[in-house]
Amino acid sequence: MSLLNDMQAFALSGDAATRDSYTFGSATAVIGNAGTVITVEAGDALDRSSVWNAEEVRLLGPAPTPVRKRLVDQPWERGTTDARLPVHLMVRLPEGLVYLGTGTVAQAGTELRPGHAEHVLTDCVLRLDTPLSRPDLDRVRPLLPPPDLPGLEWLSHVNGNRATALEQFITGWYPTLSEAPEPPSVQPPALDLPEGLRHFYHLAQRHPSSLGVQNRIFPASELRTDPNGMLVLGEENQGGFVWSLQRTPDGSESDPTVWFRGYDEPPVAEQEPLSGFLLQFALFEAAMGADYLALPHEPTARQAERLIEGLHPVPLRPFCPWYPTRFYVAPGLVLHVSDTAGDGSFSVWAGATHRSALAPLPDAAVDWIQFDG
């Protein structure tokens, strides 16, 4: 990677008379008539702009309006049909600016804040046109020592005391909110519920993300009964299916069957009763909502087997009839393997609480959609 001084780097954006510089948080954007130069600080953090992985640089706003317009609204040179102006990406080290190459906007988030007439750029992912090598990534994203990772004590309780397993997993994976009164969204409603569901809602009081980030378990205050008398427990993120429980007059069934029902289809029983289902739901959502991901591209059965080598299988029957899913874990890591079509193809998703927890995975011979280790 080339090492530049500020004058050399900023010249890539165009003539000095046309350049404007904007700083937001730990990032600087220099905008000119020939392109844009984005500079971030070396390091690794969730709360600031930085090199995220070998293929991505992430910017955190709010960014000034000209930056939003250049990156999101007006990426082409005004008044022409020329190709998109280049975005040059840099990392500032003590010895100078390291040139990463050019990148393109892969996704961006904006919001309209109260009292403002224009949307604000809140975050932006820039994908490098040429991925970084591992040594170069380590140079511009030096890692801090990892924190203590969530352990696997809960795993020994899966087929003994699932309430304990669920509690130990949720409290180990999610940060605990400070003591506060029970929010209305998780207060038990005025109806009888199985003890396992009540326990889940009790945990959600201090760990609300356990209600789901991809799919969701409805907050207790939103539980409803469908026309067939079933208690609708949760739903897929786009409403494609729901999970339900058979209502009993006094909620006396201690570990009821969970029923899965796709749109306009008859219900199908989940293979695990409520106690196992809630743990599976918690594992699935923990991986889906994790800050650090490892997503292989269309792994074969053999590649999926290699990815789970060295991980601990969770001893539960497959989750979700539409895409039967099994779970494998390590400290701070949840990986799930889904048979998505029944034709020998698989979907694998791994989520972790820290980059270091992904260490068991990179030796697998797969192409990565995203690897945040």
Side-chain angles (χ1 to χ4, degrees), residues 233-311:
L233 176 67
E235 68 177 355
E236 190 254 352
N237 66 317
Q238 297 182 21
F241 58 78
V242 298
W243 287 291
S244 303
L245 300 175
Q246 184 69 54
R247 291 289 305 276
T248 56
D250 57 359
S252 59
E253 190 175 357
S254 61
D255 200 11
T257 298
V258 178
W259 293 92
F260 173 100
R261 181 171 58 82
Y263 178 75
D264 203 27
E265 295 183 3
V268 179
E270 285 280 354
Q271 295 192 49
E272 290 291 343
L274 181 65
S275 61
F277 166 83
L278 289 173
L279 180 56
Q280 290 174 319
F281 178 87
L283 289 165
F284 188 88
E285 294 302 315
M288 298 301 292
D291 290 318
Y292 305 97
L293 303 177
L295 311 178
H297 178 67
E298 297 182 352
T300 64
R302 177 57 186 149
Q303 289 172 328
E305 289 175 0
R306 292 192 62 185
L307 284 166
I308 64 176
E309 289 176 359
L311 304 183

Side-chain angles (χ1 to χ4, degrees), residues 330-373:
L333 171 70
V334 174
L335 179 148
H336 56 75
V337 180
S338 301
D339 184 350
T340 55
D343 60 358
S345 62
F346 295 89
S347 172
V348 176
W349 183 292
T353 58
H354 189 265
R355 296 188 193 281
S356 61
L358 297 173
L361 303 180
D363 288 339
V366 299
D367 293 327
W368 295 103
I369 298 171
Q370 180 175 335
F371 185 79
D372 293 338

Side-chain angles (χ1 to χ4, degrees), residues 15-369:
D15 299 334
T18 71
R19 298 198 300 255
D20 290 297
S21 179
Y22 305 91
T23 297
F24 50 102
S26 59
T28 298
V30 178
I31 296 174
N33 65 334
T36 305
V37 174
I38 302 287
T39 303
V40 298
E41 301 292 331
D44 182 35
L46 290 168
D47 59 352
R48 66 176 186 173
S49 302
S50 64
V51 176
W52 184 252
N53 57 36
E55 297 183 341
E56 292 182 1
V57 174
R58 293 190 176 181
L59 304 180
L60 294 183
T65 297
V67 176
R68 188 210 75 217
K69 288 184 175 180
R70 172 56 67 92
L71 295 180
V72 180
D73 299 346
Q74 301 170 0
W76 292 274
E77 190 171 1
R78 188 188 303 272
T80 75
T81 58
D82 293 345
R84 185 184 300 261
L85 293 174
V87 178
H88 303 276
L89 298 166
M90 312 274 178
V91 175
R92 187 174 294 281
L93 296 177
E95 59 269 30
L97 293 174
V98 176
Y99 183 56
L100 305 181
T102 56
T104 55
V105 175
Q107 63 186 65
T110 63
E111 68 178 19
L112 185 61
R113 297 184 172 180
H116 292 77
E118 293 187 320
H119 282 76
V120 172
L121 179 64
T122 56
D123 57 272
C124 182
V125 175
L126 293 146
R127 184 169 291 273
L128 289 162
D129 295 329
T130 302
L132 302 176
S133 67
R134 188 72 213 194
D136 287 342
L137 177 61
D138 291 341
R139 182 184 181 192
V140 299
R141 195 199 63 186
L143 303 180
L144 297 174
D148 292 335
L149 297 173
L152 298 179
E153 295 81 3
W154 60 272
L155 195 58
S156 64
H157 298 287
V158 170
N159 283 326
N161 187 330
R162 289 180 175 175
T164 297
L166 180 67
E167 181 165 353
Q168 288 184 347
F169 175 75
I170 287 178
T171 57
W173 186 274
Y174 294 103
T176 301
L177 299 183
S178 59
E179 293 287 351
E182 294 183 6
S185 63
V186 295
Q187 289 176 356
L191 49 83
D192 291 313
L193 297 177
E195 179 58 32
L197 187 54
R198 286 186 172 274
H199 181 229
F200 181 79
Y201 284 133
H202 174 74
L203 295 171
Q205 293 170 15
R206 300 288 302 280
H207 309 276
S209 294
S210 62
L211 291 172
V213 294
Q214 173 74 6
N215 308 319
R216 66 175 184 143
I217 297 294
F218 291 125
S221 59
E222 296 180 17
L223 290 174
R224 66 182 189 273
T225 301
D226 71 12
N228 298 314
M230 303 283 283
L231 181 67
V232 182
L233 176 67
E235 68 177 355
E236 190 254 352
N237 66 317
Q238 297 182 21
F241 58 78
V242 298
W243 287 291
S244 303
L245 300 175
Q246 184 69 54
R247 291 289 305 276
T248 56
D250 57 359
S252 59
E253 190 175 357
S254 61
D255 200 11
T257 298
V258 178
W259 293 92
F260 173 100
R261 181 171 58 82
Y263 178 75
D264 203 27
E265 295 183 3
V268 179
E270 285 280 354
Q271 295 192 49
E272 290 291 343
L274 181 65
S275 61
F277 166 83
L278 289 173
L279 180 56
Q280 290 174 319
F281 178 87
L283 289 165
F284 188 88
E285 294 302 315
M288 298 301 292
D291 290 318
Y292 305 97
L293 303 177
L295 311 178
H297 178 67
E298 297 182 352
T300 64
R302 177 57 186 149
Q303 289 172 328
E305 289 175 0
R306 292 192 62 185
L307 284 166
I308 64 176
E309 289 176 359
L311 304 183
H312 299 270
V314 179
L316 294 169
R317 288 167 291 189
F319 169 70
C320 192
W322 273 4
Y323 41 87
T325 300
R326 292 189 178 274
F327 298 91
Y328 303 85
V329 295
L333 171 70
V334 174
L335 179 148
H336 56 75
V337 180
S338 301
D339 184 350
T340 55
D343 60 358
S345 62
F346 295 89
S347 172
V348 176
W349 183 292
T353 58
H354 189 265
R355 296 188 193 281
S356 61
L358 297 173
L361 303 180
D363 288 339
V366 299
D367 293 327
W368 295 103
I369 298 171

